[in-house]
Amino acid sequence: RLSEQYAGGMQPENPQEGALLQSKMGRGRADGAEIPESNDSSFVKKYLSRIVAAVLAVVLIGAVFVLLPYQAVHAAKNDKFNETLYWTAGSFVLIAVPVSVYGIVQHLVNYYMPQVQKFVVRILFMVPIFSVEAWFSLFFHAASEYIRAFRELYEAFVLSSFVYYIIELLGGEDQLALKLRVKDAKYGRHGPPFRFVCREWQMGRAFMTNCKYGVLQNVLVKVIATVLVIVLKAKGKWETGDWSWGSSWAYISVIMNLSIMYALYCLVKLYYATKDDLKDWNPVWKFMCIKGIIFFTFWQGFLIEVLNSAGVIKPVGDWTADDFAAGLSDFLITFEMVFFSIMHRYAFPHTDYLHYLQRQRSKGRRSRSGAGAGDDGDALLLFDHDNNVANDDSGDLVDAEYEPPTVRQLDRPLSVSRALMGSVVPSETVSDIARMSLGEGIVGSDSLGRDRATGSESGEVMMSMEEAERI
């Protein structure tokens, strides 16, 4: 019916039908002329891309299950323990990286929610970066401290990105502040030992700001600590595992542990305050992925260093005890990233961020394939007069009510280049750290619920126009 109306110059009654119909017919008709379904470009896309993908898959499988295991076994027979770790870790890297890269590409080509998906892409990049970094540290053992410094910086960057991700899922800072204002005051209270150093947080913008800045402080501490470690190591004043009073390693390790503990504490408080609002986004798996990677990278390495300083770890092969402790930590990271790459596929699927019509189209295809219908599976979803999605292909009306998304969606996904650039540049993190360094964060409230810095009864951040323009 719609095809006849469009061909006769008539406009559909529902303008959304016309937009969908034009996109549907654009593949087969241009200026009244029929376009052949099979041409050179479609042949290249359909067959050549499959051939290339098959070749890459064969090469990858051969490297993972044949070449690298053979090299590892050969090195073990020759008592070359370090090379055995190299090649075994390489197999783990070649499994984890393609799985994660596939998920990243799926997000970049379906970039319908830029304000949310840019943080998802940053989180997903964590597995490839950590895997490759740990593998390179095994190869270039002399420079492992400098390579590991970049991993720690990105670890803090991902932690802050996850906080921004939660905020954007709930509609942005203003909407989240309104939702938190009606929450129970118990979420703003602190348990031991934080109750002795933190006052109760006023629910609302004060609570959100404290949680956000509590995580961002870890980024600032990690940057300063990384620079100090590089400088001290260059001057020969950095001794890993030295717990003496004059040891720079001991002081920096304690400060970094306290910083990341407080950051995770703020993240947990934000989770418990918003878990009911995030129930449609599967928050448990997301928090498990973030906290799991932080545990298996930072505190796992810290525990290995403590065991090394206690003399538990012994020299192995050509490696000293210090070399083996560092290599063991890197090897375990490459192994663990395989499991986290699989967890990321389920915790951060790109299908959660598709356009509303795209999600309904996918559901329609799955239902028809399950029912064994003999159509081509290419459904056109239309709106009826009540703004419900109607499926004309089978003659059955699918009464799917439209639900406005809490996050702004694009009608068409951004290009991959723009999506990648938007995901790489951390402009919001830099600006918030600058505001935090200027003392704009709220740190608590008095007994009347007023902010100690501004005196606002609502706990909102208030400033003069001159101060806002300066920032």
Side-chain angles (χ1 to χ4, degrees), residues 15-86:
Q16 293 177 342
E17 292 180 351
L20 286 172
L21 182 61
Q22 291 180 17
S23 63
K24 174 77 174 179
M25 298 182 64
R27 296 179 301 172
R29 179 175 296 177
D31 297 331
E34 296 291 337
I35 297 178
E37 294 183 358
S38 298
N39 50 30
D40 295 338
S41 61
S42 63
F43 174 80
V44 171
K45 290 181 180 179
K46 186 176 182 180
Y47 294 102
L48 185 59
S49 59
R50 293 182 180 179
I51 294 174
V52 172
V55 171
L56 291 177
V58 171
V59 172
L60 182 63
I61 293 174
V64 171
F65 295 102
V66 179
L67 179 60
L68 293 180
Y70 171 79
Q71 294 288 346
V73 172
H74 180 72
K77 290 181 178 179
N78 295 328
D79 295 330
K80 296 180 179 179
F81 180 77
N82 53 350
E83 292 187 9
T84 304
L85 287 183
Y86 299 159

Side-chain angles (χ1 to χ4, degrees), residues 59 64-65 82 90 92 168 182 185 188 197-198 224 239 246 260 338 350 373 379 409 414 419 431 452-453:
V59 172
V64 171
F65 295 102
N82 53 350
F92 299 145
E168 291 298 331
V182 299
V197 293
C198 298
I224 297 174
E239 292 292 335
I260 196 169
V338 175
H350 72 282
Q409 286 185 327
L414 285 180
S431 61
R452 297 200 306 270

Side-chain angles (χ1 to χ4, degrees), residues 27 54 80 86 95 157 179 220 391 428-429:
R27 296 179 301 172
K80 296 180 179 179
Y86 299 159
I95 296 174
F157 175 60
K179 292 178 180 179
L220 190 60
N391 188 348
E428 67 290 324
T429 305

Side-chain angles (χ1 to χ4, degrees), residues 282-303:
N282 193 16
V284 177
W285 277 97
K286 293 175 171 60
F287 274 89
M288 286 180 60
C289 288
I290 296 300
K291 294 180 66 175
I293 289 183
I294 298 300
F295 174 80
F296 283 112
T297 55
F298 181 80
W299 278 321
Q300 175 181 265
F302 181 76
L303 178 61

Side-chain angles (χ1 to χ4, degrees), residues 132-149:
V132 174
E133 175 273 332
W135 196 23
F136 281 3
S137 295
L138 290 172
F139 272 102
F140 309 104
H141 201 72
S144 61
E145 289 289 343
Y146 303 100
I147 300 175
R148 197 173 294 112

Side-chain angles (χ1 to χ4, degrees), residues 177-218:
L178 292 175
K179 292 178 180 179
L180 290 172
R181 188 178 295 179
V182 299
K183 297 285 185 179
D184 196 320
K186 66 180 182 180
Y187 295 113
R189 302 189 187 104
H190 304 280
F194 294 98
R195 67 169 58 179
F196 303 111
V197 293
C198 298
R199 295 190 180 183
E200 181 179 340
W201 292 348
Q202 183 76 13
M203 296 306 296
R205 188 174 294 272
F207 182 90
M208 180 195 67
T209 306
N210 276 285
C211 291
K212 182 175 69 173
Y213 286 169
V215 174
L216 287 178
Q217 57 82 25
N218 182 245

